[in-house]
Every structure is written in structure tokens, then in C-alpha cells.
């Protein structure tokens, strides 16, 4: 069974996902999110159930054990491997490479539950139903902007053994779309005026070694794009950039843009 880890911030979680993706050359795609409380509501327990535990769920829902502190559930989220099950709706298309990611029914996923804890209302003494109910109503009554809130993110990130039906690690690099940072870097270089594929290729390799993944072999196409890929991205940046400038000039001339 995969291990459930606890994260205190969104960044910690995203860094952990990224580390896993880089380590095994896999990619996870957000599949769905069930919002229970909105982040903008100041995470008030109004109308939401105040809980002390949330257990007994069958997999894949993460169970939250009793710790004495009341909480509300913010949301549940699932990321699937990019080679995960075929979906009817929301099929992700990689716009930049214009290729739909191949689905191979890989079961590997990341399950996430975000909760908001109210540590000032921790139960002291036995956890009777009465004590829980009393604390819940006190919490709802006395909640204010100064109430201490603590975000806790529970996440189980699939290990490399859970990926099925496709290559992972070094071998996976051949069939993977380019890493997002690589595309951004090509764009940046093109915007700086670099047009020569060979020099962009060298600068990219340097960038990967210094900033992204020093140990990844140059055969990995996710980090080391082919000359053709580089040429395409330079072209799109240059042509795309011109289009925006032309549109601006157009609106400017019509007095539509300040
Ligand atoms: Zn997979």
C-alpha cells in the first residue's frame, strides 16, 4: 500500500510531485477535484461538517485518523499518470506538441485530501460524542478572523512500482513530451534573439544540467529535445510573438487600446 504523506503547504506537495516525476521520468495529470469548501470563504466551517476524524472510506479515499483537533475537509483531488485510463471528457491535449498523450491504462495515481484544522479547539480529555458536539458548536459560534487555521494536505503519491503498461525511468524519455520548463527555456532563448538550433541545443543542455536534472542522460527526449523540436518551438515563439505585436498595433491604430 502506498504511504500517505503529510504536507503543510501547497509548495511542499507540488515539489514532492515534481521530484517523483523527475526521478522516474513519469508525469501526473490532474484528473479531478471535488471542492467541499472554497478557499476564498476564509475556510469557515459554516454549513460544513466539523469533524474529528474521517475514517472507514474504501480505497482510494485517504482516511484521516482521530488526533483530537477538529477540522473541515476542503477538497479531494486525484492526479493520474499521463498514461492512465482513457477518459470520455477532459482528455488532456498537449497543445504545444499537438499530440494527445497515449493512454495505456496505467493505474498509478496521486490522491490528495486537503483539510483545515482548528488547533485551538483540540479536545482535552476523552473523545466522547458529547465532547465533540460541544466543541463543534463552540467552534462555529466563536470563529473569527483571528482563529488559528492550519492547512494539512494528505497525499499518497504512487511509487515507481505502481506504474504499469509503460516504460518509466531512463527508457521513458524517448516517448515523453517535452518537459514544461524546457519549452519555456526555448521560448526565452528565442525571445532573447537566439535563432540557431545548435546554439539553443547547447544552452538547453547546460540549463538542464545546472538547473533541472544533472543526472538525466542526453538520450532522454523529455529534457534533451531533438533539433526538429527545438526548431519548431523557436518558430512558434517568433511567429506567435509577431502576431501579438501586429494585433496590438492594429488595436492601437483603432484607438481601442490605451
Ligand atoms: Zn504510469
Amino acid at each position: 500500500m502506498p504511504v500517505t504523506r503529510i504536507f503543510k503547504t501547497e509548495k511542499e506537495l507540488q515539489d514532492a510531485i515534481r521530484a517523483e516525476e523527475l526521478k522516474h521520468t513519469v508525469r501526473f495529470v490532474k484528473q479531478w477535484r471535488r471542492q467541499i469548501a472554497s478557499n476564498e470563504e476564509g475556510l469557515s466551517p459554516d454549513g460544513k461538517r466539523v469533524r474529528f476524524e474521517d475514517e472507514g472510506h474504501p480505497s482510494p479515499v485517504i482516511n484521516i485518523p482521530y488526533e483530537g483537533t477538529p477540522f473541515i475537509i476542503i477538497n479531494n483531488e486525484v492526479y493520474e499518470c499521463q498514461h492512465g485510463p482513457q477518459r470520455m471528457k477532459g482528455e488532456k491535449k498537449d497543445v504545444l506538441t499537438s499530440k494527445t498523450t497515449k493512454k495505456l491504462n496505467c493505474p498509478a495515481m496521486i490522491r490528495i485530501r486537503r483539510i483545515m484544522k482548528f488547533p485551538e479547539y483540540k479536545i482535552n480529555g476523552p473523545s466522547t460524542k458529547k465532547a465533540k458536539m460541544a466543541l463543534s458548536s463552540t467552534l462555529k459560534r466563536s470563529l473569527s478572523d483571528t482563529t488559528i487555521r492550519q492547512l494539512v494536505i494528505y497525499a499518497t503519491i504512487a511509487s515507481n512500482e505502481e506504474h504499469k503498461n509503460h516504460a518509466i525511468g531512463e527508457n521513458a524519455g524517448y516517448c515523453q513530451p517535452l518537459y514544461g520548463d524546457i519549452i519555456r527555456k526555448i521560448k526565452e532563448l528565442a525571445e532573447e534573439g537566439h535563432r540557431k538550433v545548435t546554439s539553443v541545443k547547447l544552452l538547453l543542455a547546460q540549463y538542464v544540467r545546472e538547473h533541472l536534472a544533472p543526472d538525466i542522460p542526453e538520450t532522454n527526449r523529455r529534457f534533451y529535445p531533438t533539433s526538429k523540436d527545438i526548431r519548431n518551438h523557436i518558430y512558434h515563439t517568433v511567429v506567435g510573438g509577431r502576431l501579438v505585436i501586429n494585433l496590438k498595433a492594429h488595436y492601437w491604430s483603432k484607438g481601442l487600446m490605451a
Side-chain angles (χ1 to χ4, degrees):
M1 238 189 71
V3 188
T4 300
R5 292 166 65 186
I6 294 171
F7 301 93
K8 294 254 180 326
T9 64
E10 209 52 53
K11 189 180 179 298
E12 271 180 34
L13 168 71
Q14 294 304 328
D15 285 351
I17 294 175
R18 200 162 184 245
E20 179 66 26
E21 289 185 323
L22 283 177
K23 198 168 159 204
H24 301 293
T25 323
V26 292
R27 197 157 69 110
F28 291 98
V29 182
K30 193 188 285 186
Q31 206 52 247
W32 56 263
R33 170 188 269 201
R34 184 164 165 237
Q35 199 80 11
I36 289 137
S38 111
N39 288 328
E40 292 76 38
E41 276 166 19
L43 297 157
S44 145
D46 281 345
K48 278 130 224 157
R49 193 162 147 203
V50 175
R51 299 162 196 264
F52 287 84
E53 69 265 286
D54 190 37
E55 294 190 288
H57 291 291
S59 177
V61 180
I62 297 173
N63 289 302
I64 299 163
Y66 175 83
E67 279 175 3
T69 311
F71 61 87
I72 54 167
I73 293 167
I74 304 171
N75 58 36
N76 300 334
E77 200 169 66
V78 166
Y79 284 62
E80 283 175 350
C81 171
Q82 64 166 339
H83 301 299
Q86 189 85 34
R87 299 275 166 215
M88 294 301 281
K89 257 196 272 177
E91 190 70 1
K92 290 273 183 316
K93 218 179 168 206
D94 197 322
V95 180
L96 283 161
T97 55
S98 298
K99 262 182 272 172
T100 305
T101 314
K102 237 178 158 183
K103 296 289 180 185
L104 299 162
N105 268 321
C106 172
M109 56 164 85
I110 299 174
R111 295 170 288 137
I112 300 163
R113 289 197 98 181
R114 292 178 181 82
I115 68 165
M116 187 58 68
K117 280 185 166 183
F118 301 93
E120 292 163 297
Y121 296 84
K122 192 170 172 148
I123 287 188
N124 294 306
S127 68
T128 58
K129 199 172 177 185
K130 205 176 150 194
K132 288 178 188 172
M133 276 174 74
L135 263 178
S136 304
S137 58
T138 312
L139 168 62
K140 287 194 176 192
R141 248 195 342 266
S142 60
L143 192 90
S144 73
D145 290 347
T146 56
T147 305
I148 296 172
R149 294 160 169 84
Q150 206 174 49
L151 172 72
V152 183
I153 306 168
Y154 293 81
T156 61
I157 301 174
S159 64
N160 54 330
E161 296 97 51
E162 288 172 66
H163 288 273
K164 299 273 181 295
N165 312 326
H166 65 91
I168 63 160
E170 214 178 285
N171 295 334
Y174 292 105
C175 59
Q176 296 248 334
L178 281 184
Y179 194 64
D181 271 2
I182 298 292
I183 295 169
R184 267 192 294 282
K185 190 69 191 173
I186 301 176
K187 234 181 132 182
E188 196 185 298
L189 291 168
E191 277 162 359
E192 282 169 11
H194 292 275
R195 298 284 183 272
K196 265 185 84 179
V197 174
T198 44
S199 65
V200 168
K201 204 172 195 170
L202 281 172
L203 290 165
L204 271 181
Q206 193 186 340
Y207 174 72
V208 170
R209 278 195 302 271
E210 284 171 13
H211 300 281
L212 288 180
D215 308 324
I216 294 224
E218 296 198 14
T219 48
N220 188 321
R221 291 284 163 249
R222 202 149 177 231
F223 292 91
Y224 293 92
T226 59
S227 300
K228 192 181 157 210
D229 278 345
I230 294 174
R231 192 174 298 114
N232 281 342
H233 283 288
I234 295 175
Y235 176 80
H236 283 300
T237 305
V238 176
V239 171
R242 257 182 220 144
L243 190 69
V244 172
I245 291 161
N246 286 342
L247 270 176
K248 267 190 187 161
H250 174 76
Y251 285 122
W252 181 266
S253 70
K254 299 233 181 246
L256 294 171
M257 209 174 187

